[in-house]
Amino acid sequence: MNDKTTHFGFEQVPESEKARRVRGVFSSVAQKYDVMNDLMSGGMHRLWKAFTIQIANVRRGERVLDVAGGTADLSRAFARQVGEAGQVWLTDINPEMLAVGRDRLLDQGNITPVALCDAEKLPFPDNHFDLVTVAFGLRNMTHKDVALAEMRRVLRPGGRLLVLEFSQIWKPLAKAYDVYSFKVLPWLGQKVANDADSYRYLAESIRMHPDQGTLAGMLREAGLERVEYFNLAAGAVALHRGYKF
């Protein structure tokens, strides 16, 4: 019997339970996810994703995997860039989030394949994708090291991994950020999505996520090279990049 525990926000839970509880959070907020993103970030999440798309430098004909892609913000942009000769896969572990992303792609005429799957067990062959991205999903994964290793496995030699995630904010702003995270976010969640608990978990999960330097080290341990990161919003968000050679 596996009695190992891991964090779900600030709470310690059995490893076997975390994925189920994370699925519950995102099932609850799926329909209001994009509205809440705009409210929580003042629309800045769009700029963070636009920067990620720019850094990704996707070319026509490439193969792209969007892990934990949810409502398909990145996948929609990549689908336009790769053209008919390329391919983009949108994946998520949560069926409600994946359904929202699939419908958004279809509404824009993008017939992009989708897959309901666990990032720790990607159903794709080795050395297959030119680019793998994960945006605001890594911190919710139980075994981040396993997920990163899987992402590297499916990259072809010369391919790159991009991880966009909340990170450690500039220290002088930390107290104000805490007030916003633990007071304002749950209040917004209750008012807009009728779910304060999920947004309280969001704030807690950010605090439990590795900081910029630690996550860079995890990418290197997973076998990625030329690892670097870009701080956004005074470090509240960071984009990490690494290559497979």
Side-chain angles (χ1 to χ4, degrees):
M1 181 177 178
N2 181 7
D3 58 357
K4 290 183 179 179
T5 62
T6 188
H7 59 82
F8 177 78
F10 291 158
E11 183 182 356
Q12 286 291 311
V13 299
E15 284 189 348
S16 58
E17 186 179 329
K18 179 173 180 176
R20 178 185 64 80
R21 294 187 65 171
V22 169
R23 280 195 295 269
V25 166
F26 287 94
S27 295
S28 174
V29 305
Q31 295 301 320
K32 297 288 187 179
Y33 184 78
D34 291 318
V35 172
M36 281 297 296
N37 277 350
D38 280 330
L39 289 173
M40 289 186 302
S41 70
M44 289 182 64
H45 77 99
R46 298 176 183 271
L47 299 177
W48 303 332
K49 291 169 183 172
F51 179 71
T52 301
I53 292 162
Q54 179 184 356
I55 291 295
N57 192 29
V58 170
R59 296 177 290 276
R60 294 189 69 80
E62 288 195 318
R63 294 174 176 172
V64 179
L65 173 62
D66 188 7
V67 176
T71 57
D73 281 346
L74 296 185
S75 288
R76 287 183 299 142
F78 295 147
R80 291 191 295 269
Q81 292 172 334
V82 302
E84 293 183 2
Q87 188 177 68
V88 177
W89 275 90
L90 170 65
T91 72
D92 205 287
I93 197 172
N94 184 277
E96 287 81 8
M97 292 287 288
L98 191 64
V100 173
R102 176 204 61 205
D103 290 348
R104 291 180 73 188
L105 286 161
L106 289 173
D107 287 346
Q108 295 191 358
N110 289 322
I111 305 175
T112 297
V114 302
L116 183 69
C117 67
D118 186 340
E120 297 178 19
K121 302 173 185 176
L122 293 172
F124 301 102
D126 297 354
N127 307 314
H128 188 71
F129 293 100
D130 299 283
L131 170 70
V132 176
T133 62
V134 54
F136 302 113
L138 184 65
R139 73 181 187 285
N140 298 307
M141 297 173 190
T142 305
H143 305 101
K144 297 175 181 62
D145 55 340
V146 175
L148 290 171
E150 273 289 274
M151 294 178 215
R152 181 192 179 279
R153 177 184 66 78
V154 301
L155 276 174
R156 66 166 182 80
R160 63 269 191 210
L161 170 66
L162 294 180
V163 181
L164 181 66
E165 189 54 89
F166 293 108
S167 199
Q168 185 169 310
I169 199 166
W170 185 44
K171 196 166 184 179
L173 298 178
K175 287 187 178 180
Y177 188 50
D178 283 347
V179 171
Y180 175 75
S181 298
F182 295 109
K183 299 292 185 183
V184 177
L185 284 190
W187 179 83
L188 273 176
Q190 183 61 40
K191 292 295 183 182
V192 178
N194 196 31
D195 186 349
D197 289 343
S198 291
Y199 288 91
R200 189 171 295 109
Y201 160 75
L202 169 66
E204 293 177 358
S205 69
I206 292 169
R207 299 314 188 279
M208 300 302 294
H209 188 66
D211 63 17
Q212 290 92 325
T214 303
L215 183 55
M218 292 176 68
L219 265 67
R220 295 186 187 98
E221 289 172 8
L224 293 153
E225 300 179 40
R226 287 174 53 191
V227 174
E228 59 184 333
Y229 62 84
F230 308 87
N231 277 324
L232 308 172
V237 171
L239 175 65
H240 284 68
R241 176 171 63 183
Y243 293 83
K244 175 179 178 178
F245 292 115

